C-alpha cells in the first residue's frame, strides 16, 4: 500500500480503500476547558448503556413475580440486544452525515423515554416492547460516544479517553448487580429504570452546553438518508439475531421456526446487498469491507465478541455449579477481568507506539488464546482463585487486543467516515456475541445431554432439567447424582472455553491474513491548540495526508 496520496476529502486517495463520497468536515470541537465536561458527558452516556444489562438481570425474579411472563422474560435482554445491534450502522451513517451532536442527543432522549416507559410497564409484553425502545437509544449511545471520543483527541491522546470509557464498563460490571439487587430488594424493581433519568439528564445537559461542532462545508447536493437500506439492515439483523437467540431455547435448531428465520434472513441479506449497491449513500458502504484494515478489524472484533460469551455467560454458572459459590462470589470471579482490562488498555499505547497496532493486537490475542486453552486444565472442583486468576490475565490480554484495533482503525479514516467505521466495528462485535451465545449454548447443551443420557446415575433423571433441580436442591438427590451433574457442567464449560479458544484463533487469522503490516494512519497535527479538532481543520483544507506509519 502506498501512503503518499493526499486527502482532500475523507475516503479518497487511499490505495487500500477504494473511493468514498463523504464530505470532509471538522471533528467535534471544544475548548480545552470545555473538553472535560464533554468527556464527563460521554462517560455518563456510556454508563447508561453499560450498566443496563447487569442492573436488570438482578431484578428478574421481582419483575417476573410482579408482571408474570416467565416463559418470555429472556426477551428483556434479547430485545434490547437486537435493537442496539441492528441500529448501529444507521446511527453511524447519520452521525457522519448530520453530525455527532444531534445523534447523541436523540439517543439519550430515546433511551430516557424508553426508561420511563419501562418503569410504567403493566405486563411483560409491554416491558419487552419498551426495552426495545431503550435499545434504539442504546445503539446511538454506544456508537456515537466512541466516535466523539476519537474526534476529541488526536491519535497520541486517544488511549486516555478509551481507557476512561473502558473503566466505565468495568465499574458498571461490578456496580450493576449491586445497585440492581439493592433497588429490587429494598425499593421496587421499577427504580432500576428510573435511576437512569438523573444520569441521562446530566449527560444531556453537558452535551447541549459544552459539545460544539463547527459549521461544516455545505455539500454540493442535499444529503440523502438510505432509509430503504436502513430498513433492510434492520429486518435482516432482527431475523438473524432472533434465530440465533431463540434457537435451541424456544424451539429446536432444526425446527420450522429456526429454519424459516435463518432462510428468511439469508434472503433479506441478499436483498440488502442489492439495495446498498444501488444506494447513493448506503448505510453500510462497500468500502467498509473493501479496505483491508477495516475489514480485518471487523472480523477480528467479531471473533472477540464470540469468545467473550465463554466468560460472561458460562463462567458464573461454572462458579456456582462446580465451585459451589454464591451469586455474589461468582460475580466477583468474573468481575476481576474488568479490573485488569482498563489498566491494560490504558498502557497499550506504550506498546503499539513502538511495534504498531497489528502486532500489539496479535500479542494480546495470542495471550488470550493460551489463557482460554488453560481453563480446561483446571482441576476439579478446584479453588475459586484458579478461574479468577485466569480471568484477571484474560482481561489484560483483551485490553491489549481491543483498544489498539479501535484506536488504529479510527485513525485510518477522516471525520466524515469515522462514525460509519466505528459503527461497523461495534456491529460486528455485537453480532459475534449473538452468534457465540447461540453456538456455545448448543455446545454446552450437547455436552450436558451426552453426559446425562449416555451415563445415567441412579436416582437422577437423564434430561437437562435434572441439572437445574440437582443444583438448586442437592438434598433431593444422592451425593453421587449431584457430583455427576457438577462434573457434567464442568465438562460443558470446558468445551465452551475450547470453542472460545477457536474464536481467538480466528481473530488471529484475520489479523495475519487480512490486516496490513502497518495501518495507513492519517497524519494529524500534534501541536497544542485551542481546539481538539486540529485534524478536522487540516482535512477541510485538504492538508491532511495518509501516512504509512509503524502503527
Amino acid at each position: 500500500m502506498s501512503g503518499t496520496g493526499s486527502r482532500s476529502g475523507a475516503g479518497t486517495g487511499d490505495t487500500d480503500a477504494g473511493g468514498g463520497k463523504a464530505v470532509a468536515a471538522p471533528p467535534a470541537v471544544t475548548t480545552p476547558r470545555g473538553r472535560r465536561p464533554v468527556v464527563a458527558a460521554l462517560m455518563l452516556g456510556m454508563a447508561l448503556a453499560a450498566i443496563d444489562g447487569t442492573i436488570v438481570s438482578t431484578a428478574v425474579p421481582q419483575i417476573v413475580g410482579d408482571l408474570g411472563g416467565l416463559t418470555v422474560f429472556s426477551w428483556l435482554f434479547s430485545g434490547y440486544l437486537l435493537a442496539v445491534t441492528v441500529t448501529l450502522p444507521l446511527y453511524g451513517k447519520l452521525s457522519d452525515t448530520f453530525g455527532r451532536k444531534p445523534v447523541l442527543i436523540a439517543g439519550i432522549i430515546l433511551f430516557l423515554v424508553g426508561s420511563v416507559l419501562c418503569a410504567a410497564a403493566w405486563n411483560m409484553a409491554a416491558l419487552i416492547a419498551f426495552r426495545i425502545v431503550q435499545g434504539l437509544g442504546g445503539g446511538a449511545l454506544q456508537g456515537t460516544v466512541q466516535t466523539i471520543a476519537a474526534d476529541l483527541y488526536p491519535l497520541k491522546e486517544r488511549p486516555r479517553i478509551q481507557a476512561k470509557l473502558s473503566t466505565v464498563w468495568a465499574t458498571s460490571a461490578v456496580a450493576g448487580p449491586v445497585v440492581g439487587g439493592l433497588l429490587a430488594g429494598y425499593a421496587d424493581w421499577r427504580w432500576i429504570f428510573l435511576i437512569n433519568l438523573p444520569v441521562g439528564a446530566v449527560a444531556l445537559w453537558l452535551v447541549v452546553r459544552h459539545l460544539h461542532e463547527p459549521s461544516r462545508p455545505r455539500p454540493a447536493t442535499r444529503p440523502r438518508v438510505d432509509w430503504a437500506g436502513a430498513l433492510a439492515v434492520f429486518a435482516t439483523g432482527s431475523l438473524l439475531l432472533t434465530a440465533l437467540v431463540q434457537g435451541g431455547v424456544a424451539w429446536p435448531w432444526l425446527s420450522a421456526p429456526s429454519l424459516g428465520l435463518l432462510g428468511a434472513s439469508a434472503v433479506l441479506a441478499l436483498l440488502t446487498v442489492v439495495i446498498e449497491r444501488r444506494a447513493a449513500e448506503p448505510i453500510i458502504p462497500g468500502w467498509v469491507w473493501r479496505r483491508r484494515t477495516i475489514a480485518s478489524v471487523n472480523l477480528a472484533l467479531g471473533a472477540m465478541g464470540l469468545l467473550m460469551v465463554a466468560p460472561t455467560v458460562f463462567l458464573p454458572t461454572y462458579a456456582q455449579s462446580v465451585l459451589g459459590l454464591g451469586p455474589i462470589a461468582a460475580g466477583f470471579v468474573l468481575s476481576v477481568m474488568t479490573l485488569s482490562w482498563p489498566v491494560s488498555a490504558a498502557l497499550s499505547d506504550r506498546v503499539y507506539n513502538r511495534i504498531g497496532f497489528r502486532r500489539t493486537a496479535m500479542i494480546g490475542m495470542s495471550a488470550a488464546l493460551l489463557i482460554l486453552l488453560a481453563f480446561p486444565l483446571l482441576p476439579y472442583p478446584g479453588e475459586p482463585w484458579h478461574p479468577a486468576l485466569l480471568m484477571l490475565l484474560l482481561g489484560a490480554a483483551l485490553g491489549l487486543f481491543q483498544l489498539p484495533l479501535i484506536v488504529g482503525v479510527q485513525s485510518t479514516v477522516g471525520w466524515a467516515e469515522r462514525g460509519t467505521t466505528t459503527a461497523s466495528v461495534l456491529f460486528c462485535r455485537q453480532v459475534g456475541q449473538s452468534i457465540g451465545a447461540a453456538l456455545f449454548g448448543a455446545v454446552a447443551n450437547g455436552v450436558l445431554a451426552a453426559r446425562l443420557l449416555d451415563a445415567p446415575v441412579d436416582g437422577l433423571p437423564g434430561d437437562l432439567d435434572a441439572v437445574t433441580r440437582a443444583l438448586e436442591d442437592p438434598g433431593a438427590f444422592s451425593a453421587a447424582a449431584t457430583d455427576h451433574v457438577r462434573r457434567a457442567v464442568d465438562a460443558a464449560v470446558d468445551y465452551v472455553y475450547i470453542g472460545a479458544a477457536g474464536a481467538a484463533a480466528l481473530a488471529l487469522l484475520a489479523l495475519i491474513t487480512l490486516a496490513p503490516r502497518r495501518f495507513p494512519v492519517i497524519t494529524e497535527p500534534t501541536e497544542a491548540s485551542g481546539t481538539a479538532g486540529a485534524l478536522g481543520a487540516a482535512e477541510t483544507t485538504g492538508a491532511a495526508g495518509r501516512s504509512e506509519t509503524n502503527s
Side-chain angles (χ1 to χ4, degrees):
M1 289 184 302
S2 172
T4 59
S6 64
R7 288 176 66 93
S8 59
T12 61
D14 182 9
T15 58
D16 183 42
K21 296 182 180 180
V23 178
V29 175
T30 182
T31 63
R33 184 177 180 181
R35 186 190 294 181
R36 291 181 180 178
V38 173
V39 172
L42 297 183
M43 294 178 70
L44 289 174
M46 184 64 76
L48 287 175
I51 203 172
D52 184 81
T54 55
I55 196 172
V56 173
S57 63
T58 57
V60 165
Q62 289 77 16
I63 294 174
V64 172
D66 188 12
L67 302 181
L70 178 63
T71 59
V72 295
F73 84 88
S74 63
W75 273 100
L76 290 177
F77 308 98
S78 301
Y80 180 86
L81 174 66
L82 284 171
V84 169
T85 304
V86 300
T87 55
L88 277 169
L90 173 61
Y91 288 127
K93 184 63 178 179
L94 290 177
S95 73
D96 283 343
T97 304
F98 300 105
R100 326 294 194 211
K101 186 173 182 177
V103 174
L104 181 57
I105 291 174
I108 295 175
I109 292 175
L110 195 55
F111 189 91
L112 296 182
V113 169
S115 298
V116 172
L117 293 175
C118 286
W122 53 90
N123 58 34
M124 185 61 74
L127 182 57
I128 291 171
F130 298 148
R131 283 282 289 167
I132 293 175
V133 175
Q134 254 193 327
L136 296 177
L141 288 173
Q142 288 196 27
T144 313
V145 164
Q146 292 277 8
T147 305
I148 294 176
D151 289 343
L152 284 174
Y153 290 87
L155 174 59
K156 290 185 178 180
E157 298 183 45
R158 280 176 194 156
R160 183 191 309 173
I161 180 63
Q162 291 291 349
K164 290 180 179 179
L165 296 179
S166 296
T167 302
V168 170
W169 281 98
T171 304
S172 300
V174 177
V178 176
V179 175
L182 291 174
L183 291 176
Y186 297 98
D188 187 272
W189 63 264
R190 299 178 190 274
W191 281 100
I192 67 176
F193 298 107
L194 294 176
I195 199 174
N196 293 329
L197 299 184
V199 177
V202 173
L204 188 62
W205 180 79
L206 290 173
V207 169
V208 172
R209 182 176 176 84
H210 294 283
L211 179 60
H212 305 295
E213 292 185 298
S215 58
R216 296 174 292 134
R218 178 170 295 182
T221 58
R222 183 179 180 181
R224 289 183 294 177
V225 179
D226 177 24
W227 293 114
L231 180 61
V233 171
F234 188 91
T236 303
S238 297
L239 290 183
L240 176 60
L241 293 179
T242 300
L244 294 174
V245 170
Q246 295 298 103
V249 179
W251 49 70
W253 279 109
L254 297 180
S255 64
S258 281
L259 296 178
L261 286 171
L262 291 173
S265 61
V267 173
L268 283 176
L270 294 175
L271 179 61
T272 302
V273 172
V274 173
I275 293 174
E276 294 297 85
R277 287 175 65 91
R278 295 180 178 180
E281 296 291 341
I283 295 296
I284 304 180
W287 55 260
V288 168
W289 294 104
R290 287 195 299 268
R291 300 183 191 180
R292 290 175 54 198
T293 305
I294 302 175
S296 61
V297 172
N298 283 344
L299 293 175
L301 287 181
M304 191 201 78
L306 195 153
L307 74 85
M308 282 298 297
V309 172
T312 57
V313 176
F314 291 92
L315 184 62
T317 299
Y318 171 89
Q320 295 182 65
S321 303
V322 179
L323 302 180
L325 301 179
I328 296 178
F332 177 76
V333 171
L334 173 61
S335 67
V336 295
M337 180 176 69
T338 65
L339 301 178
S340 58
W341 191 315
V343 175
S344 174
L347 299 176
S348 65
D349 64 317
R350 301 185 182 184
V351 182
Y352 68 66
N353 282 331
R354 291 178 177 271
I355 66 175
F357 294 120
R358 176 176 175 265
R359 291 179 181 176
T360 303
M362 289 174 62
I363 291 173
M365 188 51 71
S366 297
L369 173 59
L370 296 177
I371 294 166
L372 291 168
L373 288 175
F375 189 91
L377 303 179
L378 294 179
Y380 172 87
E383 298 292 333
W385 69 266
H386 293 158
L389 176 60
L390 290 184
M391 292 307 99
L392 188 70
L393 297 175
L394 183 63
L398 293 179
L400 200 62
F401 168 79
Q402 178 179 261
L403 187 136
L405 290 184
I406 292 180
V407 171
V409 77
Q410 289 178 330
S411 303
T412 65
V413 295
W415 184 97
E417 295 177 339
R418 193 170 290 141
T420 299
T421 300
T422 303
S424 73
V425 169
L426 299 179
F427 175 77
C428 289
R429 190 180 65 185
Q430 292 283 96
V431 172
Q433 289 178 333
S434 299
I435 294 175
L439 178 62
F440 293 147
V443 169
N445 287 339
V447 174
L448 288 173
R451 294 297 177 104
L452 295 174
L453 295 176
D454 296 345
V457 173
D458 292 340
L460 182 67
D463 57 42
L464 296 184
D465 290 337
V467 176
T468 302
R469 295 197 298 271
L471 296 176
E472 289 182 350
D473 187 14
F477 300 91
S478 66
T482 302
D483 182 69
H484 181 65
V485 170
R486 289 182 172 175
R487 287 184 180 275
V489 172
D490 178 62
V493 177
D494 285 347
Y495 276 97
V496 167
Y497 268 81
I498 292 173
L506 291 177
L508 280 174
L509 183 64
L511 294 178
I512 293 171
T513 59
L514 293 178
R517 293 183 60 186
R518 297 179 178 179
F519 280 24
V521 174
I522 295 175
T523 303
E524 299 181 72
T526 57
E527 66 274 13
S529 65
T531 70
L535 170 60
E539 286 181 357
T540 304
T541 60
R546 182 181 290 275
S547 64
E548 285 272 330
T549 68
N550 188 44
S551 53

